[in-house]
Amino acid sequence: MKSKTEQMKEIKNEILGLKKSPLYVERIKNKVLPVIGEGSHDAQIMFIGEAPGKNEALTGRPFCGASGRVLDELLNSINLKREDVYVTNIVKDRPTSNRDPSLEEIKIYGPFLDRQIEIIQPKVIATLGRYSAEYIMKRFGLADQIETIGKMRGKIFKTKTSYGEVIIIPLLHPAVALYNSFSRDDLKEDFKSLGNRITK
Ligand code: URA
């Protein structure tokens, strides 16, 4: 049986050579990196964002720019550190000029995320933004409960996976605090619902 680290490495290597993705060409042209994910492979909680931004593609690390600083503040508000959780995105390469990920991109990269979930086997999946909320809800048989992210935020959805019960918590994307559409306190309120689910 391959270790979790070995399985993650395999995913990384496959993504490095993912020539069928339209974002592969951009990655090579712009000399940037895919973002696989970061954190504990034994994490109870997995955070899933949308796609890497500029800073992420330059460093190969998820949420390392302005949104990442908001994420760190939110984690801190429920006494969590990055090392305690696993953070990744649905789409692993940066969509050019920060546009939203396309359906085609989600289809290409989604199976890698599915494998990462199977490797980590988190008890809680916290989605960041509407793309990952919709992807995960559909993936785990909750398509009929999808609403706008404004209505789903902070709610708890229980579901079964191949490895057991999982709680899904759709959260707002941390970037909304940067555009001032929501305050950090609004986001912290939703994070409390996540904090209440964690056994430390
Ligand atoms: N936004 C995301 O959705 N993911 C990142 O890694 C960075 C910003």
Side-chain angles (χ1 to χ4, degrees), residues 35 49-53 56 61-65 67-68 87-89 128 173 175:
V35 178
E50 294 177 355
E56 288 77 21
R61 302 183 53 220
F63 285 94
C64 65
S67 301
V87 182
T88 187
N89 291 299
L128 300 169
H173 194 285

Side-chain angles (χ1 to χ4, degrees), residues 44-45 78 80 123-125 154-158 165-169 190-200:
Q44 274 192 46
I45 311 171
I78 54 168
L80 283 176
K123 291 192 167 57
V124 180
I125 298 178
K155 279 192 192 167
I156 306 285
F157 297 89
K158 286 190 180 156
E165 274 219 341
V166 164
I167 286 169
I168 294 168
I169 308 184
D190 297 343
F191 260 66
K192 268 191 205 157
S193 128
L194 172 63
N196 293 338
R197 294 277 144 184
I198 309 162
T199 47
K200 293 222 191 93

Side-chain angles (χ1 to χ4, degrees), residues 48-99:
I48 304 172
E50 294 177 355
K54 191 174 174 202
N55 288 302
E56 288 77 21
L58 285 171
T59 57
R61 302 183 53 220
F63 285 94
C64 65
S67 301
R69 284 191 286 281
V70 178
L71 178 61
D72 285 338
E73 193 180 322
L74 295 168
L75 287 172
N76 197 29
S77 74
I78 54 168
N79 293 321
L80 283 176
K81 295 193 199 67
R82 286 277 185 123
E83 309 88 87
D84 302 327
V85 301
Y86 190 83
V87 182
T88 187
N89 291 299
I90 318 179
V91 171
K92 313 296 190 190
D93 279 303
R94 182 186 180 215
T96 31
S97 45
N98 283 350
R99 61 169 171 73

